[in-house]
């Protein structure tokens, strides 16, 4: 069943509203190529955080303060990589404007 003129007009209005509200999503949908959904630092961040957590637990089990400090640093690095530059940049923007 073909669309009526009213339905075509409403669809065009929705499309224009999407382009205005979220141009990145609109371009992605129009191009037909979905954007990468996984953050770039996902796997290195997970690895660093996991190794850091293991070092913290191992350093706490045996008296090794150097391992605990290294574990904390790796855990922090992993968190930064997992959050990615977009979350960190958004946080920095809020601090400058607020």
């Amino acid at each position: 069943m073909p669309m009526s003129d009213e339905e075509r007009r409403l669809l065009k209005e929705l499309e224009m509203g999407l382009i205005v509200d979220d141009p990145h999503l609109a371009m992605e949908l129009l191009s037909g190529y979905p954007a990468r959904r996984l953050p770039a630092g996902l796997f290195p961040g997970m690895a660093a955080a996991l190794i850091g957590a293991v070092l913290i637990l191992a350093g706490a089990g045996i008296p090794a303060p150097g391992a605990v400090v290294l574990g904390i640093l790796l855990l922090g690095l992993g968190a930064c990589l997992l959050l990615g530059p977009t979350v960190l940049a958004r946080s920095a923007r809020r601090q400058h404007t607020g």
Side-chain angles (χ1 to χ4, degrees):
M1 173 180 354
M3 289 194 306
S4 69
D5 290 335
E6 178 67 17
E7 289 171 331
R8 280 193 202 105
R9 185 185 63 75
L10 286 172
L11 187 60
K12 193 65 170 175
E13 284 179 17
L14 285 172
E15 182 180 343
M16 290 306 193
L18 173 65
I19 291 172
V20 169
D21 290 343
D22 194 350
H24 180 72
L25 176 63
M27 292 309 294
E28 182 181 329
L29 292 173
L30 291 173
S31 73
Y33 295 104
R36 198 169 123 181
R37 294 291 178 210
L38 295 176
L42 180 71
F43 296 114
M46 284 175 35
L50 181 64
I51 292 170
V54 168
L55 280 174
I56 291 171
L57 292 174
I62 56 172
V68 173
V69 170
L70 184 61
I72 291 171
L73 291 174
L74 277 174
L75 199 56
L77 173 66
C80 287
L81 288 174
L82 284 172
L83 289 175
T86 56
V87 173
L88 296 175
R90 192 178 324 142
S91 165
R93 252 186 277 131
R94 275 193 214 132
Q95 289 177 353
H96 290 300
T97 59

